[in-house]
Amino acid sequence: MTQPTAKIAVFGDIMIDSYWMGSTERISPESPVPVVNVNHTENRLGGAANVALNISKMNVDVTLCGLVGIDKNAADLMTLCQENQIATDFIAEASFPTIVKLRVISRQQHIVRCDFEEKPQLTESLKNRIITQAKAIIDQHDLIILSDYNKGFLTDPQALIQYARSQGKIVIIDPKGSDFSKYRGASLITPNTSEFEGVVGKCPDETTLFAQAEALRDQLQLDALLVTRSEKGMTLFEENKESVTFSAKAQDVFDVTGAGDTVIAMIATQLAKGTPLPEACKIANVAASIVVGKMGASYVTQEELDYALGQSDRPHNLVLSKEALLHEVKRAKMNKETIVMTNGCFDLLHRGHVKYLEEASKLGHHLIVALNSDASVKRLKGETRPIMDEVSRATVLASLSSVAWVTIFDEDTPESLIKAVLPDVLVKGSDYQVNEIAGAQAVIDHGGRVELIDFIDGYSTTNAIEKIKASLQTEASKA
């Protein structure tokens, strides 16, 4: 029976990220600043709410708790959460205006950011409300995130940490400030390099950083410490274990806003699904490489993550089942990559085959070779064929740099497989007519095309077999 996914609660500083976007054609006559003609406005979930959004997009149950005002911005936050399947348990305070960060953007560049915020006045009464409400939420969830943006809600997080840990809950914290002692006893904290060095001092080399990290983890009685290190990736320090560094993934960085939110959200969702912490950090590292390529606070979809993980983990050439092949094709099409497909027996691979496959591969990004199984070859060519078994034939084909994926089919023709893949380009030899090619019409109907490639004269498997037979007969007659 499948283990149910744990439920996650996010506590922290909640805000709206507001974007005003437009064109810039002139400089203001009043002062030397650009004039932005705003033509689009958009509100997004920010701060701790962006953490909850990233969790929700991974199809994990999440509840968001934080301080908001009694104002239109709080109502807008509630609507955005409802639209994104985030349960809310806000603490509304009339004296506290909901935080808004307004970014004015033109031509994909930030022109200015305006913050509308006030530190909350945490009276004893308000503190008690927060702790009482938070404890009730903690009781109903398995994993707790504290998303601290240093806006006042998590000024004293110890009450929440101690209560959650006493109830056997995992507590993960995205920290802020120069005093990390307030996070003592957490399961994991995830500072970036700047935040980390703000606490332990400058680390001029890895030896110093690693020593300081181990000392800080021990001092704060943390189960683990993850330092996110920008282009150097991330390094995980766990109690009684060797540190692990996850290399940064090559990616054009468009905007680092919200990258830390994605990291902590992804770690939490993976732990909620039962993934070990090192593997969860590895996945979070890949997710962060995706989100920095987007504008502003954003999130990663499951499809984007699956594709990126597949790209980072898979070898170049693979022999795949039909199901695995279709998964790879889906990933490639998401990335707008062209799929080319051909088929055949490819018994006794020769120069003609290699040249044919090289030409086919030039028609797109990925060439699929659909290979007749042994049983299929026997039905088509007789009991003496194939010469090489299907595993050997597939392995040799997969070793060619021109071939991305090989899959074996058992039918007489690959028509059903081609209909499932629906490649952009279907390739066959020029000895065929288009109307004779299995699956051709399905490809054309789907907007693809069929290409016919000439074979090199004088090369065929049948001829090669006949030469081998003649050679053997000659040798036998001499014996």
Side-chain angles (χ1 to χ4, degrees):
M1 186 174 178
T2 304
Q3 188 76 15
T5 301
K7 297 196 317 187
I8 301 174
V10 178
F11 299 89
D13 298 303
I14 301 172
M15 59 196 74
I16 285 180
D17 282 339
S18 186
Y19 295 86
W20 290 10
M21 292 168 272
S23 59
T24 302
E25 305 294 342
R26 60 193 177 95
I27 300 298
S28 170
E30 301 163 356
S31 58
V33 295
V35 175
V36 180
N37 182 24
V38 176
N39 53 37
H40 177 72
T41 63
E42 180 181 343
N43 284 339
R44 299 183 187 177
L45 295 168
N50 188 45
V51 177
L53 176 64
N54 273 265
I55 294 168
S56 175
K57 293 301 179 180
M58 290 292 110
N59 300 314
V60 174
D61 289 340
V62 60
T63 298
L64 175 63
C65 177
L67 193 63
V68 298
I70 302 176
D71 50 29
K72 180 181 182 302
N73 290 324
D76 290 343
L77 269 170
M78 183 75 75
T79 299
L80 285 169
C81 287
Q82 290 172 346
E83 290 173 351
N84 289 283
Q85 292 75 53
I86 299 168
T88 56
D89 206 335
F90 293 161
I91 299 166
E93 175 61 33
S95 63
F96 173 73
T98 303
I99 298 171
V100 176
K101 291 183 180 180
L102 168 62
R103 295 172 175 88
V104 179
I105 297 172
S106 179
R107 298 181 181 177
Q108 305 298 311
Q109 296 294 321
H110 283 76
I111 304 300
V112 68
R113 192 182 97 179
C114 306
D115 290 3
F116 303 87
E117 64 178 76
E118 295 177 19
K119 285 271 187 177
Q121 298 298 314
L122 293 179
T123 63
E124 285 303 312
S125 173
L126 181 54
K127 286 180 182 178
N128 290 334
R129 277 174 58 200
I130 291 172
I131 291 171
T132 300
Q133 192 162 324
K135 285 182 176 180
I137 297 169
I138 289 169
D139 287 341
Q140 299 168 22
H141 294 78
D142 308 288
L143 195 151
I144 310 304
I145 292 178
L146 304 186
S147 177
D148 193 351
Y149 270 76
N150 203 25
K151 303 300 181 185
F153 182 70
L154 293 174
T155 302
D156 181 13
Q158 270 297 300
L160 304 187
I161 295 170
Q162 291 180 21
Y163 181 76
R165 294 308 300 268
S166 73
Q167 302 302 307
K169 316 290 185 176
I170 297 172
V171 180
I172 305 175
I173 303 175
D174 188 359
K176 285 292 184 294
S178 58
D179 179 15
F180 281 7
S181 64
K182 59 187 176 182
Y183 306 124
R184 185 183 306 276
S187 307
L188 169 71
I189 65 172
T190 62
N192 60 35
T193 302
S194 176
E195 293 162 345
F196 176 74
E197 290 186 332
V199 172
V200 304
K202 284 291 181 182
C203 298
D205 50 53
E206 288 213 338
T207 301
T208 305
L209 186 145
F210 282 34
Q212 293 282 25
E214 290 287 7
L216 182 64
R217 188 204 56 73
D218 184 63
Q219 175 190 337
L220 298 181
Q221 300 171 3
L222 306 171
D223 294 343
L225 167 69
L226 178 72
V227 182
T228 59
R229 305 169 60 195
S230 190
E231 74 278 359
K232 295 181 180 178
M234 307 175 180
T235 304
L236 175 66
F237 304 88
E238 287 189 90
E239 186 176 10
N240 299 323
K241 293 183 180 179
E242 290 289 324
S243 62
V244 182
T245 296
F246 308 93
S247 300
K249 304 298 178 183
Q251 172 70 42
D252 291 333
V253 177
F254 183 80
D255 192 341
V256 297
T257 305
D261 297 340
T262 297
V263 168
I264 197 168
M266 203 59 56
I267 291 172
T269 58
Q270 292 303 314
L271 293 179
K273 295 175 181 180
T275 306
L277 179 58
E279 181 67 16
C281 292
K282 176 184 174 183
I283 293 170
N285 189 39
V286 174
S289 74
I290 299 171
V291 82
V292 296
K294 302 182 179 185
M295 186 192 75
S298 192
Y299 57 86
V300 176
T301 67
Q302 187 67 58
E303 281 194 330
E304 288 173 327
L305 183 61
D306 286 344
Y307 179 81
L309 289 171
Q311 289 294 94
S312 64
D313 290 344
R314 66 183 175 89
H316 177 69
N317 303 105
L318 293 170
V319 180
L320 301 174
S321 67
K322 178 181 177 181
E323 292 72 22
L325 173 67
L326 293 178
H327 194 56
E328 291 291 344
V329 168
K330 182 179 180 181
R331 288 173 173 168
K333 287 184 177 180
M334 280 175 55
N335 208 35
K336 300 188 180 348
E337 295 167 345
T338 303
I339 302 296
V340 184
M341 188 172 183
T342 191
N343 66 278
C345 301
F346 294 97
D347 199 7
L348 295 183
L349 197 69
H350 53 68
R351 180 187 170 195
H353 289 140
V354 173
K355 184 65 175 174
Y356 169 81
L357 295 172
E358 286 176 349
E359 292 301 314
S361 71
K362 294 175 183 177
L363 299 173
H365 294 94
H366 304 284
L367 173 61
I368 300 168
V369 177
L371 185 68
N372 293 75
S373 69
D374 289 349
S376 176
V377 175
K378 283 186 186 300
R379 290 195 300 270
L380 294 173
K381 298 188 179 288
E383 286 299 317
T384 60
R385 301 283 297 277
I387 304 299
M388 303 295 292
D389 65 87
E390 62 191 44
V391 173
S392 299
R393 289 181 287 126
T395 302
V396 171
L397 284 167
S399 71
L400 298 177
S401 61
S402 58
V403 177
W405 305 303
V406 179
T407 192
I408 299 170
F409 66 94
D410 201 43
E411 299 84 3
D412 289 347
T413 78
E415 184 162 7
S416 65
L417 179 62
I418 291 169
K419 287 180 177 178
V421 172
L422 289 174
D424 302 290
V425 185
L426 181 62
V427 178
K428 285 295 287 183
S430 59
D431 53 336
Y432 280 85
Q433 297 294 322
V434 172
N435 60 3
E436 299 173 335
I437 299 172
Q441 195 58 50
V443 171
I444 293 169
D445 290 345
H446 194 68
R449 70 182 194 274
V450 178
E451 293 281 348
L452 303 179
I453 295 178
D454 292 336
F455 285 110
I456 299 176
D457 289 339
Y459 290 91
S460 77
T461 301
T462 301
N463 288 343
I465 292 172
E466 291 302 320
K467 286 182 180 181
I468 292 170
K469 285 181 178 178
S471 176
L472 290 174
Q473 288 171 356
T474 301
E475 290 298 323
S477 66
K478 290 179 181 178

